[in-house]
Amino acid sequence: MKVKISRSDHETDPTRHVWFNTPATSGPHGMAMIKHASLLDLKNRVGIHDVVAPVVALKKAGSRWKGLCPFHNEKTPSFHVNPDRGLFKCFGCGASGDIINFVERTENLTFTDAVETLARRFGFSLEYEAGGPTTEERSLRQELYDIHEAIADHFRQTFLAAGREGEYARDYWVNSRRFTLELAEEFRIGLAPVADNVIAGRLLKQGFSPQALKESRLFFLRGDRFEPASARPMFRGRLMIPIRDH
C-alpha cells in the first residue's frame, strides 16, 4: 500500500489522508512464463490509442495522434501515437515503445505486471507456460482487486453519509482543502470511519475468502487467521484517496 503520511494504529484524525491502491501484483512468475504467442495476441488486439488516451489528451494529426508528453514537461505537443504500428514516440525526450512500455512507464510497473494489467483492463485471457501461476493464484489476485473495489465503495458511502462523520469530512474537503464535491465524486474520495466493527464481517458475507481478506493488508489481525470478530481496519478516521489503474 502507498501511504501519503506516517501514521500509527491509534491516529484517528480525519484531516489526514491515505492514498491506497490495489495490492502489488508481483508474483512468483516472470515474463518468460507468459506464452510469447499470447503476448503478441494481446498487443495485436489492444489498440495503443485506447491505452494512451486515458492518460494523454490526444488530438488527431493525419493518420496519427499527438499530445503533451507524459514523461517530461512541455508546452508544445511532441508526443505522437501511431495506431497502425501500435507505437508511441516523443520527439522531445525520446521516449518510445508499445502499449506495454507505456503502461510500464506511466504506472511504474514491471514488464509482467504491465502485461497482466493490460490483460485485466481489456478483458484478455493470458496463457502461461508450465510453471506459471495456477488458476487458484490468478483467482486470488482477482479477488484482492475486488476486495479493494468493495472497500473503496464502503469508504465512499461513509463520506457521503448524513451522519456527523460524513458531514465533518465533506466540510473539511470543501472549506479547509478548498476542493469541490464534484472533484470528490470524480476521484471517489472516501472516509474510513473512526470505528468500524462491521466491514470485516460484511466482506465475508459478500463471499470474499478469509485468505484473500488476510492478504489484502486492510486489517490488523490477531494471529495468522482472519477472524472478523477481532480483525480491525488498518485505516480509521481519515480521508481515503483510491489509486486506480484505469
Side-chain angles (χ1 to χ4, degrees):
M1 292 199 171
K2 182 179 178 183
V3 181
K4 184 181 179 185
I5 56 169
S6 61
R7 59 173 176 76
S8 73
D9 180 28
H10 301 291
E11 291 176 348
T12 55
D13 180 1
T15 64
R16 298 189 178 228
H17 322 27
V18 170
W19 303 74
F20 73 107
N21 58 4
T22 51
T25 56
S26 58
H29 51 290
M31 178 185 67
M33 292 184 182
I34 299 175
K35 288 185 177 181
H36 184 64
S38 183
L39 189 61
L40 292 178
D41 196 15
L42 172 70
K43 292 168 70 173
N44 288 332
R45 293 193 184 192
V46 177
I48 192 167
H49 178 273
D50 295 332
V51 175
V52 175
V55 180
V56 180
L58 296 173
K59 293 184 178 180
K60 190 74 171 175
S63 62
R64 304 186 180 188
W65 298 81
K66 68 178 182 179
L68 296 175
C69 181
F71 306 120
H72 79 286
N73 293 324
E74 62 177 8
K75 295 182 179 179
T76 303
S78 60
F79 183 85
H80 290 249
V81 172
N82 187 331
D84 294 332
R85 299 184 63 189
L87 299 174
F88 69 88
K89 169 73 175 181
C90 177
F91 293 93
C93 69
S96 63
D98 57 18
I99 58 173
I100 299 171
N101 304 131
F102 185 82
V103 172
E104 278 185 285
R105 294 194 60 167
T106 56
E107 303 186 28
N108 194 29
L109 299 176
T110 65
F111 183 93
T112 302
D113 286 349
V115 172
E116 293 183 337
T117 294
L118 282 166
R120 183 177 63 254
R121 192 172 296 168
F122 290 94
F124 182 86
S125 297
L126 290 170
E127 295 182 4
Y128 293 84
E129 302 286 359
T134 64
T135 300
E136 289 75 15
E137 288 171 335
R138 291 196 294 273
S139 296
L140 176 60
R141 288 155 66 88
Q142 183 58 54
E143 192 175 5
L144 289 172
Y145 280 96
D146 293 342
I147 288 172
H148 279 73
E149 284 291 335
I151 203 76
D153 287 339
H154 174 68
F155 292 151
R156 179 66 185 152
Q157 293 306 312
T158 305
F159 180 86
L160 295 173
R164 184 173 61 88
E165 278 187 316
E167 291 176 356
Y168 182 87
R170 293 191 298 275
D171 179 75
Y172 170 76
W173 177 260
V174 173
N175 295 317
S176 296
R177 300 299 298 178
R178 304 293 182 183
F179 295 134
T180 66
L181 291 178
E182 289 76 15
L183 190 66
E185 175 67 26
E186 179 181 354
F187 289 96
R188 294 181 67 200
I189 302 303
L191 173 67
V194 173
D196 194 342
N197 301 320
V198 300
I199 186 59
R202 182 180 301 170
L203 290 171
L204 276 177
K205 289 181 180 179
Q206 290 178 6
F208 295 114
S209 67
Q211 180 186 2
L213 289 168
K214 174 184 175 182
E215 296 191 19
S216 71
R217 303 177 185 176
L218 291 170
F219 298 92
F220 290 105
L221 305 178
R222 294 179 181 175
D224 295 330
R225 297 180 59 186
F226 184 86
E227 299 289 349
S230 59
R232 292 182 298 161
M234 180 172 292
F235 302 115
R236 299 182 299 159
R238 61 195 64 232
L239 290 176
M240 303 298 293
I241 307 172
I243 301 175
R244 306 181 63 80
D245 65 359
H246 57 86

